[in-house]
């Protein structure tokens, strides 16, 4: 799937959320704009439920929080670059500064796994990661991840 179909520029931001809870809330607020039928709280609870199963911090300063929702028909993604890294219980115990969140319809498990795998590969590319970390604003951040 082409990333620009699920990640909109308005769901890409540079922020200083301060904590894991606050960044999950920010993801929820941004995603709720794309799905007015959902509340930020519903999205937050979906992300939190997944985090309770184990952290989505995959190491190297990257986290890929994700959740499944019954009230959506298309996947939606959120990309956040944290100005200050945050503790995220990552597998390497390092703080996180790049988060790619994915919310998918509950009945699209295969697509969900495929998109997560593609993003993990992209974010593990040292050149792309370096470019993301060097970006100065949301527009640049969006361009780097969707190119």
């Amino acid at each position: 799937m082409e990333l620009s179909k699920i990640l909109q520029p308005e769901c890409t931001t540079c922020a200083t959320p301060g904590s894991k809870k606050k960044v999950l809330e920010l993801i929820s607020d941004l995603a709720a704009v794309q799905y007015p039928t959902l509340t930020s709280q519903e999205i937050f609870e979906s992300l939190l439920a997944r985090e309770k199963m184990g952290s989505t911090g995959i190491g190297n300063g990257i986290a890929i929080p994700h959740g499944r929702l019954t009230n959506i028909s298309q996947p939606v993604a959120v990309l956040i670059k944290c100005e200050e890294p945050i503790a995220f219980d990552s597998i390497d115990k390092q703080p996180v500064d790049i988060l790619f969140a994915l919310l998918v319809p509950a009945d699209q498990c295969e697509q969900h796994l495929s998109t997560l795998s593609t993003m993990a590969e992209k974010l593990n590319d040292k050149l792309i990661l370096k470019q993301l970390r060097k970006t100065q604003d949301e527009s640049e951040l969006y361009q780097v991840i969707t190119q």
Side-chain angles (χ1 to χ4, degrees):
M1 169 174 281
E2 194 175 318
L3 188 55
S4 61
K5 290 184 179 181
I6 62 170
L7 178 64
Q8 300 303 310
E10 52 274 3
C11 284
T12 305
T13 192
C14 300
T16 308
S19 70
K20 183 176 184 175
K21 180 180 184 264
K22 293 231 183 275
V23 80
L24 293 177
E25 288 171 344
L26 176 59
I27 290 166
S28 302
D29 291 343
L30 291 170
V33 172
Q34 296 299 307
Y35 273 105
T37 57
L38 293 173
T39 66
S40 295
Q41 187 62 34
E42 288 172 298
I43 297 167
F44 177 74
E45 287 171 7
S46 173
L47 294 170
L48 200 57
R50 173 54 189 86
E51 288 300 319
K52 286 181 180 176
M53 294 181 350
S55 177
T56 56
I58 62 171
N60 201 24
I62 302 164
I64 307 181
H66 50 280
R68 295 183 189 156
L69 296 160
T70 55
N71 300 353
I72 64 174
S73 58
Q74 296 294 319
V76 65
V78 174
L79 177 66
I80 297 174
K81 174 186 156 191
C82 298
E83 303 297 341
E84 295 292 325
I86 57 171
F88 208 85
D89 304 318
S90 297
I91 58 171
D92 64 357
K93 308 289 187 228
Q94 297 301 307
V96 164
D97 65 338
I98 302 290
L99 296 102
F100 178 83
L102 182 64
L103 299 159
V104 296
D107 61 351
Q108 293 183 11
C109 192
E110 286 298 317
Q111 181 180 357
H112 175 105
L113 295 175
S114 173
T115 305
L116 286 175
S117 175
T118 300
M119 274 318 297
E121 283 179 35
K122 191 166 195 161
L123 292 172
N124 276 318
D125 181 312
K126 290 186 188 324
L127 180 60
I128 292 173
L129 198 53
K130 185 176 181 179
Q131 289 175 331
L132 288 171
R133 289 185 169 130
K134 284 177 136 180
T135 58
Q136 299 296 312
D137 59 34
E138 286 86 359
S139 175
E140 211 178 325
L141 187 64
Y142 183 79
Q143 288 190 353
V144 169
I145 200 68
T146 56
Q147 67 186 353

